[in-house]
Amino acid sequence: APDIVNEPHTYLPLRGTTTTTGSNNNAADEQLPVIFSYEVHWEESSLFWADRWDVYLIGAPDHDIHFFAIVNSLMIVLFLTGAIATIMIRTLRQDIAGYNEMQTLEEAQEETGWKLVHGDVFRPPQFSPMLLSVLVGTGAQVGAAFFFTMVTAIFKLLNPLRKGQTLTAVIVLYVLSGTISGYVSARLYKYSGAKAWKLNTLYTAMGLPGVLVGLFTILNIFLHFAGAATAVSFLVLLAIFALWVCVSTPLVFVGSFLGFRAEMVQVPTKTNKLARQIPDIPWYSSPPMSVLLGGILPFGSVCIELFFIMSALWLQQIYYVMGFLLAVLLILTATCAEVSIVMCYLQLCSEDHRWWWKSFFNASSAGLYLFLYSLWFLSSRLELVGVLPVVVYLTYMTMISVCFSLFCGAVGVLMSFWFTRTIYGALKVD
C-alpha cells in the first residue's frame, strides 16, 4: 500500500489560485482534487457474527408495539373463543339433548334450525368441487410453507435480516410442501365423489405456481425493457421453473396418490337424494354481507404486525422478531377457524346447508382487506415516482394478498367441515 502523507504543509487550499491579467484582477476558482485519508483500528470481539445487530435491535421501542399487537390479537381470539364456548356448551348441548329426547315425529317436525338440515349438510359442493379442492389444498400448502419458514428462523437456521435469503427459503419450503397440497386436495375431491383425479392433481400442481410465475415473468419483462436494477436474470427464472416442474409437481402427485388411496372421509348422517328447499336467509348469513363481515376479524388480528412487515418490505426497515410473527400466524389461524365456525353455525340455524363455498369466502375475504390496506400504505407511506414502481408494488401485493386469502379460506373450509361432523355426530338420527 502507498505511504499515507498527513502533514500540514501538504494541505491543499480550499479555493483556487488568483491570477492577474493586465490591469484587471480576475479571480478564478479552479477545480482542485481533495486528497483525504482515514485509519481504522480493528478490535477483536467475542460477539458472534449473527448477534452483531443486537446492540441496536434489543430494547428497541418497537417491542412495546409488538406486544400490543399480540395482546390485541389475543383479545380477538378470546372473544371468539367465548362465542364458540357459548355455542358449543350451552346452545348446542341443549339443542342436541332436546332433539335426542323427542319421541314422536310430530315433535320433530315442529323443530327448526340446524337440526333439520342433517340430511343435506354433508352434500358435496354443487358448484365446481374441483376448484374448491384445489384452492383448499393450495391454501394448506401456503400455510405450511410460512409456518416452516418461521420455525427455521426461530431456530436460527435462517437469518431474517437477509431478505433475499428469507424469500428463497419461502420458495423452497413452499416447493417441498407440495405433498400437503396434493393430499388435502385429493381427500376433499374424493369426498365430493368426482373421478377426474388426474386433472385434480394437475390443477393443484399448476394452479397457484402457474399464476405467480406468469405474473412475475410478465413483470420481469417490463423491468428488463426499463433497465431496472431489480430485474431478474433468465437463469433465475429457469431455476424457479425447474423447482416447480422437477420438485413441486412430483411431490404434489405423491400427496395426491396418498390422498386418493386413503379411505373416504366418513360423515355421521346420510345425504338425502333431493336437496331441501332453503328458506329466506337473514342478511348477516347471506353474501356479500357475510363475506365482508367474516374477513374483518382475521385481518384485524394481524393488522398491527402487518405495518412492520410492510415497512420491512418497502421502506428498507429491519424486521427480525420471528417469534412474534409465528405467534401472529397461529393467532390468525385460530381467528379464521373460530370465525368460520360461528358463521357456519349461523348459516345452519337459517336452514341453509350450502356452507362449503360460503365458509371459504367468509374467511378468505381477509385477503381483500389486506389488498385495500396495501393501497392505503401506497398512498400514505410510499413516495413512488413513475408508473413502473407502482405497477411493481401492486403486482407483488396482489400475489401476497392472494396467498393470504387462500390460506384463510383453507382454514375456514377445513374447520367448518370438522365443526359440522362434530355437532351432527352427536345427534341420534335414524
Side-chain angles (χ1 to χ4, degrees):
D3 295 334
I4 298 177
V5 179
N6 192 13
E7 299 294 337
H9 67 273
T10 62
Y11 292 170
L12 296 175
L14 297 179
R15 296 182 179 179
T17 58
T18 302
T19 59
T20 303
T21 304
S23 60
N24 297 326
N25 294 331
N26 297 326
D29 291 337
E30 299 178 356
Q31 294 183 354
L32 297 176
V34 178
I35 302 175
F36 64 93
S37 62
Y38 65 95
E39 60 182 17
V40 178
H41 178 65
W42 299 97
E43 294 183 359
E44 185 177 0
S45 174
S46 59
L47 188 66
F48 290 102
W49 174 258
D51 301 331
R52 65 191 185 279
W53 289 97
D54 288 355
V55 64
Y56 304 104
L57 301 180
I58 294 179
D62 291 345
H63 280 183
D64 295 336
I65 303 179
H66 289 296
F67 278 113
F68 175 74
I70 296 295
V71 172
N72 172 70
S73 303
L74 286 177
M75 294 302 295
I76 294 177
V77 172
L78 290 177
F79 169 75
L80 291 174
T81 303
I84 296 295
T86 303
I87 292 174
M88 297 293 291
I89 297 177
R90 296 185 58 186
T91 307
L92 285 179
R93 179 179 294 180
Q94 295 175 2
D95 288 349
I96 292 173
Y99 189 78
N100 290 336
E101 291 176 358
M102 290 181 183
Q103 300 296 329
T104 63
L105 181 62
E106 289 77 8
E107 293 178 352
Q109 290 177 346
E110 294 177 357
E111 282 295 316
T112 59
W114 62 272
K115 300 175 290 297
L116 293 183
V117 296
H118 63 82
D120 298 279
V121 68
F122 295 110
R123 189 180 302 277
Q126 300 177 359
F127 173 75
S128 187
M130 171 78 76
L131 179 60
L132 181 64
S133 61
V134 170
L135 294 178
V136 173
T138 305
Q141 182 181 4
V142 171
F146 280 106
F147 175 77
F148 292 144
T149 303
M150 299 302 103
V151 172
T152 54
I154 290 175
F155 286 99
K156 296 186 178 181
L157 301 176
L158 180 66
N159 187 0
L161 299 181
R162 298 180 178 179
K163 300 178 182 179
Q165 184 187 52
T166 304
L167 179 60
T168 303
V170 171
I171 295 175
V172 172
L173 290 174
Y174 174 82
V175 168
L176 297 178
S177 303
T179 305
I180 297 176
S181 64
Y183 181 81
V184 173
S185 178
R187 293 279 285 172
L188 191 58
Y189 188 65
K190 184 178 181 180
Y191 173 78
S192 301
K195 304 297 182 182
W197 64 271
K198 294 181 181 179
L199 285 178
N200 175 262
T201 306
L202 192 62
Y203 290 157
T204 304
M206 297 181 60
L208 180 64
V211 172
L212 297 185
V213 170
L215 288 175
F216 184 77
T217 303
I218 296 174
L219 179 63
N220 195 62
I221 292 174
F222 284 103
L223 291 176
H224 270 293
F225 280 120
T230 55
V232 178
S233 65
F234 177 75
L235 293 178
V236 176
L237 292 177
L238 189 61
I240 296 176
F241 184 79
L243 281 175
W244 175 25
V245 175
C246 301
V247 181
S248 178
T249 302
L251 290 176
V252 172
F253 272 86
V254 171
S256 180
F257 173 78
L258 297 175
F260 281 108
R261 285 291 300 272
E263 296 183 358
M264 184 180 295
V265 179
Q266 299 297 322
V267 294
T269 61
K270 295 181 180 180
T271 302
N272 298 331
K273 294 182 179 180
L274 298 178
R276 180 184 178 88
Q277 186 177 0
I278 300 174
D280 294 334
I281 303 173
W283 61 271
Y284 54 82
S285 295
S286 59
M289 187 56 65
S290 63
V291 174
L292 296 177
L293 291 176
I296 293 177
L297 289 180
F299 174 76
S301 65
V302 300
C303 64
I304 299 178
E305 200 69 21
L306 184 63
F307 176 80
F308 296 99
I309 299 175
M310 297 279 287
S311 300
L313 289 176
W314 303 106
L315 295 178
Q316 305 301 322
Q317 295 186 10
I318 299 175
Y319 189 89
Y320 58 94
V321 282
M322 290 301 172
F324 282 105
L325 190 56
L326 178 60
V328 170
L329 178 62
L330 297 178
I331 291 174
L332 172 64
T333 305
T335 306
C336 291
E338 294 180 344
V339 166
S340 300
I341 290 175
V342 172
M343 299 296 289
C344 183
Y345 174 75
L346 295 177
Q347 181 181 343
L348 294 177
C349 288
S350 303
E351 300 182 20
D352 184 7
H353 55 81
R354 302 168 302 178
W355 58 270
W356 289 97
W357 277 104
K358 290 183 179 181
S359 64
F360 179 83
F361 286 118
N362 289 341
S364 65
S365 60
L368 174 62
Y369 290 104
L370 173 59
F371 185 76
L372 295 177
Y373 180 84
S374 68
L375 295 180
W376 171 83
F377 194 86
L378 172 64
S379 61
S380 62
R381 298 294 178 179
L382 300 181
E383 297 179 357
L384 301 181
V385 179
V387 178
L388 188 58
V390 176
V391 172
V392 172
Y393 173 82
L394 293 179
T395 302
Y396 283 126
M397 289 311 303
T398 301
M399 294 179 182
I400 295 174
S401 300
V402 169
C403 294
F404 185 81
S405 180
L406 289 176
F407 169 68
C408 295
V411 174
V413 172
L414 296 177
M415 291 308 300
S416 296
F417 194 21
W418 170 84
F419 174 71
T420 52
R421 291 179 62 196
T422 301
I423 63 174
Y424 286 96
L427 289 179
K428 296 179 181 178
V429 181
D430 295 333

